[in-house]
């Protein structure tokens, strides 16, 4: 983007996390990874039904961006949002209960894996429609802009969304009205099973955003420190009136698009190359080399995370299914505007 500092310069001037903070980032990524690995088991045992889209391999994007936001900021996500929800601070118990369809979930179990929503943390979905969250994010940002609130709305979406009309309409309005949106494109190279270069004539996604005069930065989405640094710098600029910014987080999902996907469109060698850049193992090794994380300390973190996942599963398993007689409630607005809604 003409006039914009390259991402390397941005990273050099941003606050670098200290040792404890780096360990915290590692722990957050481990929470997401172990949660989703358990989801695979639960899905196989039909405790989780419907669709299940995992972000294993993409944890650095969720953790890095969330660390750069304030509690007052808003988040709009996609159907691959478990990591975003956990990193935002939604409890693992409520998230797992939602996936198991229990009343104790974030949406009474009605949303499931693809529609996690929690107003208390300003987490506005979980949207199943590709690119469907982009205009929602622009609307939230417009409301903040009109009210004079210094909030940032962070909007996650995948590379497949860039081919949709909503992407271009949202980019145009956000730039035209100078709205406080941080667009976070998780470019994992595949829109479902279609490679980016087989469906897009222009594969430089940052260039597309820049064509709307939006500052656009390319970021290594497998490096949580790089993501946090870039997101923090961009969010601060957006918050201070700098208008919308676009981060292209170059990442990779290690598993298929969804649990139904046989994953026959990628070479195993390609997956293996990306697994060598696993954001968790690379940060863990880096911390160990720098003397900031011992093997005993890592084992303790793993044990704590495993206990949290076990607790979340037990909580969800013991949860309550909604009474069939109530299933039609709140499908449409009630005359008293929802009185009695928990």
């Amino acid at each position: 983007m003409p006039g914009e500092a390259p991402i390397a310069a941005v990273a050099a001037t941003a606050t670098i996390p200290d040792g404890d903070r780096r360990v915290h980032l590692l722990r957050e990524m481990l929470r997401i990874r172990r949660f989703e690995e358990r989801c695979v088991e639960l899905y196989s045992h039909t405790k989780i039904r419907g669709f299940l889209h995992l972000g294993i391999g993409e944890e650095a994007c969720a953790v890095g961006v969330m660390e750069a936001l304030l509690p007052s900021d808003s988040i709009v996500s996609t159907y691959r949002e478990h990591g975003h929800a956990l990193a935002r601070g939604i409890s693992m118990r409520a998230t797992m209960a939602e996936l198991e369809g229990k009343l104790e979930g974030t949406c009474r179990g009605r949303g499931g894996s693809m529609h996690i929503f929690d107003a208390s943390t300003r987490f506005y979905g979980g949207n199943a429609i590709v690119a469907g969250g982009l205009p929602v994010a622009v609307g939230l940002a417009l409301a903040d802009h009109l009210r004079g609130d210094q909030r940032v709305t962070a909007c996650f979406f995948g590379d497949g969304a860039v081919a949709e009309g909503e992407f271009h309409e949202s980019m145009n309005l956000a730039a035209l009205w100078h709205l406080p949106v941080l667009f976070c494109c998780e470019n994992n190279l595949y829109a479902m099973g279609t490679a980016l270069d087989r469906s897009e004539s222009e594969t430089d996604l940052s260039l597309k955003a820049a064509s709307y005069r939006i500052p656009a930065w390319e970021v290594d989405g497998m490096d949580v420190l790089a993501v946090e640094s870039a997101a923090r710098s961009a969010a601060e600029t957006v918050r201070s009136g700098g208008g919308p910014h676009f981060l292209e987080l170059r990442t990779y999902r290690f598993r298929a698009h969804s649990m139904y996907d046989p994953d026959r469109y990628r070479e195993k060698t390609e997956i293996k190359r990306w697994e060598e850049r696993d954001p968790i193992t690379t940060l863990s090794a880096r911390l160990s080399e720098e003397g900031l994380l011992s093997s005993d300390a890592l084992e303790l973190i793993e044990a704590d995370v495993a206990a949290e996942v076990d607790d979340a599963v037990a909580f969800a398993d013991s949860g309550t299914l909604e009474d069939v007689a109530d299933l039609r409630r709140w499908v449409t607005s009630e005359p008293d505007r929802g009185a009695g809604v928990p």
Side-chain angles (χ1 to χ4, degrees):
M1 175 73 179
E4 287 297 321
I7 192 59
V10 172
T13 57
T15 302
I16 302 299
D18 58 18
D20 290 344
R21 189 164 181 77
R22 294 185 188 193
V23 173
H24 165 71
L25 296 175
L26 175 66
R27 180 189 180 92
E28 289 300 295
M29 290 195 293
L30 276 169
R31 290 179 68 238
I32 297 169
R33 178 71 59 89
R34 301 299 178 241
F35 175 89
E36 292 209 310
E37 288 172 344
R38 183 64 69 84
C39 286
V40 174
E41 298 176 19
L42 297 174
Y43 192 85
S44 300
H45 290 87
T46 66
K47 286 188 176 180
I48 297 174
R49 301 189 180 189
F51 291 97
L52 182 68
H53 303 81
L54 303 173
I56 292 176
E58 302 183 6
E59 295 88 352
C61 301
V63 173
V65 171
M66 293 302 173
E67 286 293 318
L69 300 177
L70 300 177
S72 56
D73 293 333
S74 304
I75 293 93
V76 178
S77 184
T78 69
Y79 49 76
R80 202 183 305 281
E81 87 281 39
H82 308 154
H84 303 147
L86 294 176
R88 180 55 176 175
I90 299 176
S91 81
M92 192 178 288
R93 278 185 165 192
T95 304
M96 187 62 83
E98 185 60 37
L99 267 61
E100 288 200 15
K102 301 296 178 63
L103 274 174
E104 293 78 5
T106 57
C107 307
R108 300 171 60 88
R110 292 187 177 191
S113 170
M114 302 171 83
H115 303 97
I116 296 170
F117 183 100
D118 180 51
S120 67
T121 56
R122 303 186 65 79
F123 191 88
Y124 299 112
N127 292 277
I129 299 173
V130 174
L134 282 146
V136 174
V138 170
L140 287 166
L142 175 61
D144 290 334
H145 181 68
L146 293 175
R147 288 194 296 250
D149 293 336
Q150 285 192 316
R151 289 190 180 122
V152 173
T153 295
C155 180
F156 290 88
F157 53 94
D159 47 282
V162 176
E164 298 287 337
E166 291 97 325
F167 169 82
H168 298 280
E169 293 166 351
S170 298
M171 292 291 119
N172 181 57
L173 285 182
L176 186 65
W177 295 339
H178 208 60
L179 300 180
V181 189
L182 177 59
F183 295 106
C184 303
C185 177
E186 295 175 316
N187 180 7
N188 61 26
L189 307 179
Y190 291 92
M192 292 185 70
T194 304
L196 185 65
D197 61 5
R198 293 176 65 88
S199 60
E200 292 285 316
S201 60
E202 175 55 75
T203 57
D204 187 338
L205 305 187
S206 293
L207 184 61
K208 289 192 175 187
S211 71
Y212 288 97
R213 301 183 183 277
I214 292 177
W217 304 339
E218 301 163 2
V219 186
D220 182 356
M222 305 301 278
D223 182 345
V224 69
L225 301 179
V227 174
E228 192 214 20
S229 179
R232 191 175 299 281
S233 180
E236 288 175 357
T237 305
V238 172
R239 196 184 316 283
S240 61
H245 278 54
F246 181 97
L247 299 180
E248 181 190 348
L249 307 172
R250 297 187 173 181
T251 185
Y252 198 80
R253 53 175 164 76
F254 297 157
R255 297 186 63 93
H257 168 71
S258 73
M259 291 296 290
Y260 283 118
D261 183 354
D263 200 5
R264 294 172 180 162
Y265 48 84
R266 305 187 295 186
E267 296 291 340
K268 301 302 180 187
T269 53
E270 177 184 295
I271 299 173
K272 183 174 177 55
R273 282 199 307 274
W274 279 92
E275 286 178 337
E276 291 172 355
R277 299 194 58 230
D278 186 320
I280 293 176
T281 56
T282 53
L283 179 59
S284 177
R286 194 168 163 183
L287 292 171
S288 178
E289 290 171 1
E290 295 176 4
L292 298 171
L293 183 69
S294 66
S295 57
D296 289 345
L298 180 58
E299 286 183 9
L300 281 175
I301 293 173
E302 286 276 18
D304 285 346
V305 170
E308 185 183 8
V309 174
D310 287 343
D311 173 74
V313 174
F315 177 80
D317 286 351
S318 62
T320 312
L321 291 172
E322 188 167 19
D323 193 307
V324 173
D326 285 339
L327 289 179
R328 294 177 62 185
R329 291 196 68 189
W330 307 305
V331 174
T332 57
S333 296
E334 297 186 345
D336 55 0
R337 297 180 64 84
V341 177

